[in-house]
Amino acid sequence: MTDENLLDRIFAGELKELMVVSYIVLGNNQVTNRYIEDKYRMPVHAWSALYAIDLFPGLRAKEIRQLFPRPQNTISRAVSLLQARGLITQETSDADGREKRLYATDAGRALLADMIDFSRRRQEEWLTPLSPEERQTFFHLARKIATGPNLLESEVARR
Amino acid sequence: MTDENLLDRIFAGELKELMVVSYIVLGNNQVTNRYIEDKYRMPVHAWSALYAIDLFPGLRAKEIRQLFPRPQNTISRAVSLLQARGLITQETSDADGREKRLYATDAGRALLADMIDFSRRRQEEWLTPLSPEERQTFFHLARKIATGPNLLESEVARR
DNA sequence: GCCAAATTGATCCATATGGAACAATGTTGG
DNA sequence: CCAACATTGTTCCATATGGATCAATTTGGC
């Protein structure tokens, strides 16, 4: 049985949507995570956090979770790493002593520019099979799923 | 800044396709992996492997990697776990003494039926925002990305 | 037929991960 | 004002992960 047959059949079952989305992400991770971890010596979540912090200066750790749904301690560690490397600064919020407002440093922004450049070229690579119109449609539909009410809140998985 | 604003803006940048797909998968994993690990006491990769083995009786470990792109030792461990729990059997291939052909047992199939039922209902949940036509379009486009030439093989990430 | 290289899968080990408990701070209800 | 509760972020610890190495087997070149 050839590779194509295997994929064809797993993309034909009841769980085809789950299978195809998982395949895209596992496949991309295999390439991207390894590259980023090798080149920048940091887990991918650290660069995600840096990306978010640069986009929203003064961001709080809990808000990073809204952008990248990960356990809370994963974010905490990523922020520690970025701080330890001088890529961000933290300052305790005036309004609430528990919160720390996060800001990218110049060094952080410089590193980020490099990472974004890679990610943009990598994204272009896996989007190659889609025309500009198809990309627009794909993004539109994916966005509907992402912002739908049941992605993070499940009735089915209630324990 | 509200949650919506944060998501709106991160889904508006150059990396919006990457961001939205990552968001869907991280969000779904947060719900699904925890449920499966709690209920069945196994990593999600073990159930993925069981799913593949049942669909393709006599499957080899290396072929599971084609369906679920993961490191080789992850598959090896998942197969060991399934074997230890009596959910699959392994028999050494006649043609090639290195290969082991994998088969689901009755117990494996019974457990799988339960897991598939959950996954189907969970998939239905996160697909809720899409109409039947939109689901078809989404799957069609995602499939093009998944089977494209650059998902697993990258020029950009070459080291 | 034989030896080098390739392939398949298991194991080792350092690091990442995530649930749970914790500490610090803020909020609420009486 | 104060005690209970909620929120924010850190730490602990058991387990998962993945690159590297290894063992067993097969393939290919001569």
Side-chain angles (χ1 to χ4, degrees):
Chain A
M1 184 172 300
T2 68
D3 305 8
E4 277 306 314
N5 290 142
L6 288 173
L7 276 185
D8 280 351
R9 286 183 56 191
I10 211 147
F11 291 162
E14 287 181 310
L15 298 177
K16 63 184 182 184
E17 287 92 351
L18 174 63
M19 292 296 152
V20 76
V21 172
S22 296
Y23 188 89
I24 291 173
V25 171
L26 289 176
N28 182 51
N29 281 356
Q30 184 133 298
V31 171
T32 304
N33 292 11
R34 185 164 177 170
Y35 179 82
I36 287 189
E37 280 160 24
D38 272 18
K39 180 160 181 192
Y40 301 104
R41 295 282 150 198
M42 64 172 68
V44 173
H45 301 315
W47 109 250
S48 301
L50 183 57
Y51 183 78
I53 291 164
D54 183 53
L55 189 58
F56 303 104
L59 198 69
R60 301 160 185 86
K62 66 165 181 164
E63 292 167 328
I64 298 177
R65 291 189 71 192
Q66 295 168 9
L67 298 170
F68 300 97
R70 302 292 333 168
Q72 183 269 332
N73 57 5
T74 297
I75 309 291
S76 182
R77 273 188 298 246
V79 166
S80 293
L81 182 148
L82 294 172
Q83 158 92 15
R85 300 218 184 144
L87 302 172
I88 62 167
T89 58
Q90 312 187 29
E91 49 183 63
T92 303
S93 168
D94 293 335
D96 187 331
R98 293 167 305 181
E99 296 178 344
K100 296 183 181 168
R101 313 297 299 262
L102 307 171
Y103 301 88
T105 62
D106 288 346
R109 271 186 291 274
L111 188 67
L112 190 60
D114 200 42
M115 287 173 153
I116 289 176
D117 182 59
F118 164 73
S119 293
R120 209 164 20 76
R121 286 183 295 124
R122 173 61 187 146
Q123 176 181 268
E124 180 58 35
E125 211 169 33
W126 58 259
L127 282 175
T128 298
L130 302 192
S131 72
E133 297 73 30
E134 286 175 323
R135 291 178 195 199
Q136 213 168 357
T137 303
F138 178 74
F139 175 74
H140 172 69
L141 296 176
R143 198 181 187 295
K144 280 177 93 164
I145 294 170
T147 56
N150 291 118
L151 184 65
L152 302 176
E153 274 302 318
S154 171
E155 199 58 46
V156 170
R158 195 166 302 286
R159 287 165 303 156
Chain B
M1 185 173 296
T2 68
D3 304 10
E4 278 307 313
N5 290 141
L6 288 174
L7 276 185
D8 280 350
R9 286 183 56 192
I10 211 147
F11 290 163
E14 287 181 310
L15 298 178
K16 63 184 182 183
E17 286 93 351
L18 174 62
M19 292 296 152
V20 77
V21 172
S22 297
Y23 188 89
I24 291 173
V25 171
L26 289 176
N28 183 50
N29 281 355
Q30 184 133 298
V31 171
T32 304
N33 292 12
R34 185 165 177 169
Y35 178 83
I36 288 187
E37 280 160 24
D38 271 19
K39 181 161 180 190
Y40 301 103
R41 295 281 150 199
M42 63 171 68
V44 173
H45 300 314
W47 109 250
S48 301
L50 184 55
Y51 184 78
I53 291 164
D54 183 52
L55 188 59
F56 303 104
L59 199 67
R60 301 160 184 86
K62 65 164 182 162
E63 291 168 328
I64 299 178
R65 291 190 72 193
Q66 296 167 9
L67 298 170
F68 299 97
R70 301 292 334 167
Q72 182 269 326
N73 58 5
T74 297
I75 309 291
S76 183
R77 273 188 299 246
V79 167
S80 293
L81 182 148
L82 294 172
Q83 157 92 14
R85 300 221 184 141
L87 302 172
I88 62 168
T89 58
Q90 312 187 29
E91 50 184 62
T92 304
S93 168
D94 294 335
D96 188 331
R98 293 168 304 181
E99 296 178 343
K100 296 182 180 168
R101 314 296 301 260
L102 308 172
Y103 301 89
T105 62
D106 288 346
R109 270 187 291 275
L111 188 66
L112 190 60
D114 200 41
M115 287 173 153
I116 289 176
D117 182 59
F118 164 73
S119 294
R120 207 164 24 75
R121 286 183 295 123
R122 173 63 187 145
Q123 176 181 266
E124 180 58 34
E125 211 168 35
W126 58 260
L127 283 175
T128 298
L130 301 192
S131 72
E133 296 73 29
E134 286 175 325
R135 292 179 194 199
Q136 215 168 356
T137 303
F138 178 74
F139 175 73
H140 172 68
L141 296 176
R143 198 181 186 296
K144 280 178 93 162
I145 294 171
T147 56
N150 291 119
L151 184 65
L152 303 176
E153 274 302 317
S154 172
E155 199 57 47
V156 169
R158 195 167 303 285
R159 289 166 300 157

